[in-house]
């Protein structure tokens, strides 16, 4: 069965930066399961998997604008060092959950000085070319309920 809109697709994937460092990967026990054609995966990947079948391996390279977008300077904030008193071993590259009026989101520490810490709320791969390697494990038709919900159910999908 070929992947098309409303297919439930099970894939193994590895997300790498342009140098080939792996940033995210599924595991053998926990592949990624998604509903195709509903914007659940980044557009470039969805397009590359269209029409593929179980067993197919696809490796794609995406420019920043097709992956995690451009690096937005406005998402970089300088915070007084005192706000981080509770955090031991604070270092550049550390990922932290930051509380904001619109909820909690992940930021990356990008600079530390004696009195200030710069945090960046961009995705760590924003502004970078990325490589994604996927292997299609399984393709099935979505149920009406899955299409209605806009996501896959069952193992690896939404549990409810
Ligand atoms: Zn659901």
């Amino acid at each position: 069965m070929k992947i098309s809109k409303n297919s439930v697709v099970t894939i193994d994937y590895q997300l790498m930066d342009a140098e080939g460092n792996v940033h995210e990967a599924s595991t053998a026990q926990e592949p990624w399961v998604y509903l195709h054609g509903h914007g659940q995966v980044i557009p470039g990947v969805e397009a590359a998997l269209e029409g593929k079948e179980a067993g197919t391996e696809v490796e794609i390279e995406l420019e920043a604008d097709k992956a995690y977008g451009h690096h937005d300077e406005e998402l970089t904030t300088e915070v007084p060092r005192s706000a981080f008193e509770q955090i031991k071993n604070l270092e550049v590259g550390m990922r932290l959950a930051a509380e904001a009026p619109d909820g909690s989101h992940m930021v990356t520490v990008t600079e530390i000085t004696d009195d200030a810490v710069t945090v960046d709320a961009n995705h760590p791969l924003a502004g970078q070319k990325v490589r994604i390697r996927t292997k299609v494990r399984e393709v099935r038709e979505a149920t009406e309920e899955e299409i209605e919900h806009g996501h896959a159910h069952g193992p690896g999908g939404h549990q409810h």
Side-chain angles (χ1 to χ4, degrees), residues 145-146 148-153 158-160:
E145 194 186 42
E146 286 173 319
E148 203 176 292
H149 288 192
H151 53 229
H153 291 163
H158 283 240
Q159 314 286 333
H160 66 133

Side-chain angles (χ1 to χ4, degrees), residues 64-134:
D65 59 348
K66 294 261 172 14
Y68 293 93
H70 289 282
H71 190 268
D72 183 354
E73 278 304 319
E74 291 190 3
L75 294 176
T76 298
T77 320
E78 207 177 82
V79 185
R81 178 81 198 243
S82 57
F84 295 88
E85 268 168 0
Q86 308 300 322
I87 299 165
K88 293 188 178 67
N89 315 319
L90 188 70
E91 58 180 19
V92 169
M94 193 179 240
R95 302 268 292 150
L96 303 167
E99 296 302 326
D102 60 345
S104 152
H105 53 100
M106 295 304 288
V107 298
T108 307
V109 175
T110 55
E111 202 186 331
I112 303 172
T113 65
D114 287 343
D115 42 38
V117 175
T118 306
V119 295
D120 185 348
N122 283 287
H123 187 280
L125 290 171
Q128 291 191 50
K129 191 185 273 190
V130 301
R131 276 164 58 199
I132 297 165
R133 187 182 295 152
T134 65

